[in-house]
Amino acid sequence: MFPADLTAQATLSEAAEHAKQAWLAHDPEGLVGKSSNLVLQIPGADPSSPLGRAQAIELLRRYLRPAEERGLDITTIREVEPGKGFVELTRRYVVAGTSEVRRETLFLGYRLQSKEWRLAELRNAP
C-alpha cells in the first residue's frame, strides 16, 4: 500500500496503479493525492465546478462507505495529449448487507503537474 502523501507518480501507469490500490483500500486521501481541485461526477456530487481537496475527499468517503469491493481492474491507460491522461477502471462491489454484485466503470482524468500525474477528474458510469 502506498502512503497517503503519495509515492512519485512519474508515469500514468504508476498513477493508475496507485488509484486502484487507494480505491480498494477505501482511501480517498490517497486517491486524491496532491490534487488541490477535483471535478467529481458521482452520486451526491455537483459536477458543475471543481471541488476543493477536502470536500472531494469527504464526498468520496461517503460514496465508498457502504460498499464492499469485490474487484477492480485497470482496463484503459492512455495519454490523450501531452500532459493529459485518462484511466478507466472496472469496479465490482456489493452494498453492505446485500449479496448482489454490482458493476460500474470509473473514469479518471489526470494532468501532469510538477512531473507527477495528479487526479483532476473522477466520474462513474453504471
Side-chain angles (χ1 to χ4, degrees):
M1 177 68 182
F2 300 97
D5 67 343
L6 289 186
T7 57
Q9 296 181 78
T11 69
L12 193 52
S13 293
E14 290 170 349
E17 185 59 35
H18 177 85
K20 176 182 176 180
Q21 295 306 319
W23 191 279
L24 287 171
H26 285 198
D27 176 13
E29 291 92 348
L31 182 63
V32 171
K34 295 180 182 178
S35 299
S36 57
N37 292 304
L38 182 64
V39 173
L40 280 182
Q41 293 181 353
I42 59 173
D46 178 4
S48 62
S49 62
L51 301 172
R53 186 177 189 281
Q55 188 177 10
I57 288 169
E58 182 56 30
L59 287 171
L60 284 166
R61 181 175 285 116
R62 289 179 190 174
Y63 184 66
L64 290 167
R65 186 175 294 136
E68 296 173 9
E69 304 302 324
R70 294 294 186 253
L72 187 65
D73 300 311
I74 298 170
T75 50
T76 304
I77 300 172
R78 181 173 39 238
E79 190 168 350
V80 292
E81 61 184 64
K84 288 178 112 176
F86 168 80
V87 173
E88 181 180 313
L89 304 171
T90 301
R91 177 186 186 211
R92 293 172 309 285
Y93 67 100
V94 296
V95 174
T98 70
S99 60
E100 178 188 348
V101 176
R102 299 179 183 198
R103 295 180 183 273
E104 75 177 347
T105 302
L106 301 168
F107 302 98
L108 288 71
Y110 285 89
R111 295 217 192 296
L112 189 60
Q113 297 176 305
S114 304
K115 298 182 182 179
E116 290 182 6
W117 288 97
R118 296 189 186 176
L119 188 61
E121 180 178 358
L122 186 151
R123 56 189 169 94
N124 77 325

